[in-house]
Amino acid sequence: MEFDLIELIRQRTTQPRDDVRLGIGDDAAVLAVPAGQELAVAIDTLVEGVHFPPGTAAADIGWKALAVNLSDLAAMGANPAWALLALTLPSADVAFVEGFAEGFAKLAQSHRLALVGGDTTRGPLTISVAVHGFVPPGKALTRAGARVGDAVLVTGTLGDAAAGLHALQQSLDDGDSRAGLREFLIGRLNLPTPRLSAGAALRGQASACVDISDGLLADLGHICVASGVGAEIDAALLPRSPALMALYDEASALQFALSGGDDYELCFSVPAQRLADVQADLSRLGCGVTKIGRIVEGAGVRVRSTDGEWLATDRPGWEHFA
Amino acid sequence: MEFDLIELIRQRTTQPRDDVRLGIGDDAAVLAVPAGQELAVAIDTLVEGVHFPPGTAAADIGWKALAVNLSDLAAMGANPAWALLALTLPSADVAFVEGFAEGFAKLAQSHRLALVGGDTTRGPLTISVAVHGFVPPGKALTRAGARVGDAVLVTGTLGDAAAGLHALQQSLDDGDSRAGLREFLIGRLNLPTPRLSAGAALRGQASACVDISDGLLADLGHICVASGVGAEIDAALLPRSPALMALYDEASALQFALSGGDDYELCFSVPAQRLADVQADLSRLGCGVTKIGRIVEGAGVRVRSTDGEWLATDRPGWEHFA
């Protein structure tokens, strides 16, 4: 029954905020954007079998459905405030909804985000979340401001989520001594960390920013198109986790780092004179940050291999309808 | 390919608005709520086979996906501004997307609503739309303000959409002389008219308001629960269309009007002293309005039949997981 499911989710995700004038339970929520703030809004959908494998834990799905949206706010430098949830389920599965709400609420509460509205319908498992955040007028990070000579940086490590998906799809012996490494990678796939504090710290510092959902080449490519520039990155500089390097050979790890989606790290450009400050600021927030290349004239993203050759990069990233 | 679909929809739904600082094409849209306005937000999902039959025209699906959401804004008395669209499709079907965008855009443009963000994914046909509207602080219509003695009114006619669904499910001869009547009812199902100008006119006038998506008994029941009151309605007063009365017997027509969903008319309560003014205001807007009953002490909705008996109303409305 629709109202019980939404009520159950509401109970699990309570987050009092003064700017929520009227929350879940009417035809619409009524919200007050603080004076002197603009609103950043995004929507993203997860579909079972496309964005997560059947059998993924409900709590992980709830976390990830919110995380991929918060990652969009992070890429804009926005501070999260509110979310709407559209949950389509094959049946009124209370255990699933409880698990989902638990994962969703855990991430929401860590960012003081309030769930303000929702719709539960019957159908194939599909979750759309719309998120709302605040950003000072004119200060949103976009894809469009990269300039020739800017450094290109990324947060965290790349390729873990794609490797995690690969590891999930193998049927490996649970007793394997490397199970812990695989769990790390699968955790990076299922429980991504939206880089919200990093994104907020980059306001007024980064010249362009994007989150890596479709793979580094594809998403840095978006910055290049929007900014009218090209980019060169050095394969040797790509930050890759110990787990990725332990479980995969160099060629696979490089492929995951360049083209694997779902990492939800930030990729951004910074004018050279601000580079040291930005690196220091993000490090202070506990966010790893690595310079991987530079913005150049032209178009598209080129990758230099460790022996100095240009790599063929004909598989730019994950495209759902490719 | 995701970006082409969103771009195609964007081209078909262009609606310039000064308050859209950054529209489709980045990680999030950036929007400016006008000073002195609060934000009303809602999300609703349509699933093929649940909310519309397979084979429904793409343009009708696009219209309806937006209409059911705008109806939520109407019920709050909010003026629509922006929408987000999450479209899940089995394949990159350009003809479908073009039709969908055409229907969506037609309704959007008639209300100066801008599509500001979207996500297109592969999967079973599912559409979630999130809408955003403006309402003066403290002036949103809610379900919670009905008082004993208030009149209960509805806009338009009731039961048409449910009858339209019934008509669709019959395999009738196309040459039938009543085909035009059936088309009217099916049109009411597929192309509902959100009562936005009526909702805006009810701000400061209605004591409670809801849109009729699940059926009159269910939705008026929501007002009763939220307001801590009961309601009595007279079957003889229910506004029903000539098409409904021509195609169905009295018992079926009454059942559709009481329990059929998808009409997207407004049901609202008005203090007695304002009744005449409200009726005149809505009529001037070209919106039919009918008093169907009154708010009483107690709980729940009771229906008096034309012969003065209380009807058994044990099937309150459409519930997706009932």
Side-chain angles (χ1 to χ4, degrees), chain B residues 13-256:
Chain B
T13 56
T14 300
Q15 178 60 251
R17 290 182 63 105
D18 288 346
D19 52 24
V20 178
R21 302 289 195 247
L22 185 66
I24 289 175
D26 216 297
D27 288 295
V30 181
L31 308 166
V33 176
Q37 298 283 317
E38 289 181 347
L39 195 64
V41 303
I43 191 165
D44 264 316
T45 301
L46 301 187
V47 180
E48 183 178 51
V50 179
H51 302 90
F52 57 88
T56 302
D60 290 358
I61 299 170
W63 173 289
K64 187 165 182 172
L66 180 57
V68 303
N69 279 281
L70 291 181
S71 182
D72 284 325
L73 293 186
M76 305 300 288
N79 298 112
W82 313 308
L84 303 170
L85 167 65
L87 179 57
T88 302
L89 284 176
S91 65
D93 180 343
V94 171
F96 179 88
V97 172
E98 289 198 326
F100 181 94
E102 183 197 327
F104 188 98
K106 191 172 175 184
L107 181 58
Q109 284 166 9
S110 69
H111 295 288
R112 291 200 59 243
L113 177 128
L115 181 69
V116 297
D119 187 27
T120 316
T121 52
R122 182 167 54 81
L125 184 55
T126 307
I127 308 107
S128 290
V129 174
V131 288
H132 301 73
F134 305 144
V135 64
K139 297 295 185 193
L141 299 170
T142 73
R143 302 173 174 183
R147 296 289 171 265
V148 173
D150 288 355
V152 175
L153 295 89
V154 294
T155 60
T157 56
L158 301 182
D160 295 332
L165 182 60
H166 181 268
L168 261 185
Q169 290 164 343
Q170 313 301 308
S171 30
L172 296 170
D173 181 0
D174 275 343
D176 189 313
S177 64
R178 296 174 157 195
L181 300 175
R182 285 203 306 279
E183 276 171 28
F184 169 84
L185 296 176
I186 293 166
R188 290 271 291 160
L189 173 70
N190 287 337
L191 298 169
T193 302
R195 294 294 193 179
L196 286 157
S197 55
L202 291 173
R203 285 199 308 256
Q205 303 295 324
S207 53
C209 187
V210 73
D211 74 323
I212 303 178
S213 53
D214 296 332
L216 174 65
L217 294 181
D219 290 311
L220 178 53
H222 295 152
I223 286 183
C224 290
V225 169
S227 299
V229 297
E232 291 178 0
I233 60 182
D234 290 301
L237 299 179
L238 295 174
R240 289 173 294 171
S241 69
L244 179 66
M245 300 313 290
L247 288 178
Y248 291 92
D249 63 25
E250 171 60 27
S252 299
L254 180 61
Q255 177 71 19
F256 288 139

Side-chain angles (χ1 to χ4, degrees), chain A residues 74-75 153-155 195 198-199 202 209-212 264-268:
Chain A
L153 294 89
V154 294
T155 60
R195 292 295 193 179
L202 290 173
C209 187
V210 73
D211 73 323
I212 303 176
Y264 298 101
E265 298 294 345
L266 299 181
C267 175
F268 55 99

